[in-house]
Amino acid sequence: MSSQQAQSTAQKITRVGVIGAGAMGHGIAQVFAQGGFNVKLNDVSLDFINSGIRKIEANLSRSVEKGKMSEDDKKAALSRVLPTASLDEFKDREFVVEAVLEKIEVKRDVFKKLDRICGRDTVLASNTSSIPITELAALVSNPQRVAGMHFFNPVPVMKLIEIVQALQTSISTIEIIRALSLRLGKTPVVVKDNAGFVSNRVVCPMINEAIFAYEQGIASKEDIDTVMKLGMNHPMGPLELADFVGLDIVLDVLDVLYREYEDPKYRASPLLRNMVRAGYLGRKTKKGFYEYP
């Protein structure tokens, strides 16, 4: 398939599936729905899915209040998000994005199921932030249709999509995802498959080093964040960012990087690991490095 044919294929895609209704998944479903796509949203239970849809509605309502969209556009976008607790209903999907837990065993199970359910030409994308796409592609019968489509949180706001090309990924698959990204109003960047890709390979060690500095008493958490915001012009300090992303996610990514590269620079801070054990995961649990009453 030529680049022009791939772009033409992308323009014809209307039916999208999103697996996972959490922080990333519901945001991905929202941007596709706002882009005019018919979206089936899946998770382990209807309770999780409905919770994700309520968050989509709240996000859209804020946009209406700010004058960024009309009430009619909000209702139209919501009408395009269809809840489904069964992956079997994904058999009619032309494009699927997986956004489940950052655990390789969970993702393996999802891709094996998708391979049985979806058509051979359905493009299967993973929103993983660190797990090698090549490993996921190897699980399906037509691996050239598998790639990474890494969105950033909050999905409706952040413009970047990191498109990850596995060893098996075809150029036409990359072009389809690139064209879809542009249809969503995003800026796509193509990277080769490696653990952490570019974004998390760079940012997670920075967060980890900030945690080590705090753990060693070099400076207060507020001062560490202020140094990076004012000295490096970062919009958010690394400890604030860890709370925003979720400390469990940061730890998962660091563990993947450490396992894949076998380099001690990716060893997670003991404080980070203990905070995750304690359930102090950041904003989503109202307590991380900071408290969120």
Side-chain angles (χ1 to χ4, degrees):
M1 184 185 296
S2 69
S3 175
Q4 189 172 7
Q5 288 173 320
Q7 291 176 26
S8 175
T9 298
Q11 292 301 319
K12 295 174 183 175
I13 290 174
T14 59
R15 301 187 304 276
V16 172
V18 178
I19 307 170
M24 296 301 293
H26 81 258
I28 294 169
Q30 178 182 326
V31 297
F32 272 107
Q34 285 184 253
F37 295 85
N38 171 284
V39 182
K40 285 184 177 177
L41 181 60
N42 169 267
D43 210 314
V44 293
S45 73
L46 281 173
D47 285 341
F48 280 117
I49 300 168
N50 289 330
S51 174
I53 292 175
R54 285 194 296 271
K55 290 172 183 174
I56 293 172
E57 183 172 13
N59 288 340
L60 294 175
S61 293
R62 282 193 291 271
S63 292
V64 172
E65 290 168 7
K66 293 176 181 178
K68 294 182 178 179
M69 69 185 310
S70 69
E71 184 67 28
D72 286 344
D73 286 342
K74 167 193 162 182
K75 291 178 180 178
L78 276 174
S79 72
R80 289 191 284 266
V81 182
L82 309 173
T84 173
S86 173
L87 278 183
D88 289 335
E89 293 189 34
F90 275 44
K91 61 186 177 183
D92 68 336
R93 299 293 91 178
E94 300 160 298
F95 188 86
V96 176
V97 182
E98 167 272 310
V100 300
L101 294 173
E102 193 71 357
K103 302 288 186 184
I104 185 60
E105 61 273 13
V106 179
K107 293 183 185 293
R108 283 192 192 116
D109 183 59
V110 167
F111 273 81
K112 288 177 181 176
K113 288 178 179 176
L114 290 174
D115 189 41
R116 292 196 302 268
I117 294 166
C118 298
R120 283 183 55 82
D121 294 329
T122 301
V123 175
L124 306 178
S126 175
N127 182 59
T128 178
S129 54
S130 63
I131 292 170
I133 302 299
T134 298
E135 182 171 351
L136 299 176
L139 299 171
V140 306
S141 55
N142 195 8
Q144 63 264 31
R145 60 180 167 148
V146 178
M149 190 178 191
H150 183 208
F151 292 81
F152 291 78
N153 192 20
V155 177
V157 175
M158 301 296 279
K159 291 295 185 182
L160 179 66
I161 291 181
E162 206 172 24
I163 303 175
V164 186
Q165 185 173 9
L167 194 62
Q168 310 96 317
T169 310
S170 68
I171 296 299
S172 61
T173 295
I174 295 298
E175 291 301 325
I176 288 170
I177 298 178
R178 191 200 303 270
L180 285 176
S181 300
L182 293 172
R183 283 180 66 184
L184 297 177
K186 304 295 187 182
T187 300
V189 173
V190 179
V191 303
K192 291 183 179 179
D193 189 26
N194 67 96
F197 319 131
V198 171
S199 56
N200 283 299
R201 185 171 176 175
V202 173
V203 76
C204 282
M206 181 196 72
I207 292 173
N208 195 41
E209 196 61 34
I211 298 171
F212 270 118
Y214 176 56
E215 184 177 8
Q216 293 164 6
I218 293 172
S220 69
K221 57 181 179 286
E222 293 86 358
D223 285 348
I224 290 170
D225 282 340
T226 297
V227 166
M228 297 306 291
K229 285 188 287 187
L230 300 186
M232 306 301 170
N233 204 28
H234 290 192
M236 189 180 293
L239 301 179
E240 292 176 290
L241 180 58
D243 278 357
F244 183 77
V245 171
L247 272 62
D248 53 336
I249 302 299
V250 175
L251 179 59
D252 284 343
V253 173
L254 285 167
D255 283 345
V256 169
L257 293 173
Y258 187 60
R259 183 176 68 245
E260 287 291 322
Y261 296 118
E262 298 182 347
D263 189 327
K265 72 181 179 183
Y266 297 115
R267 179 178 64 88
S269 155
L271 175 59
L272 172 62
R273 201 171 294 279
N274 273 334
M275 290 179 72
V276 171
R277 287 175 179 143
Y280 301 156
L281 308 182
R283 286 180 178 270
K284 59 188 172 185
T285 59
K286 302 189 182 302
K287 182 176 177 63
F289 289 102
Y290 298 91
E291 294 190 4
Y292 305 90

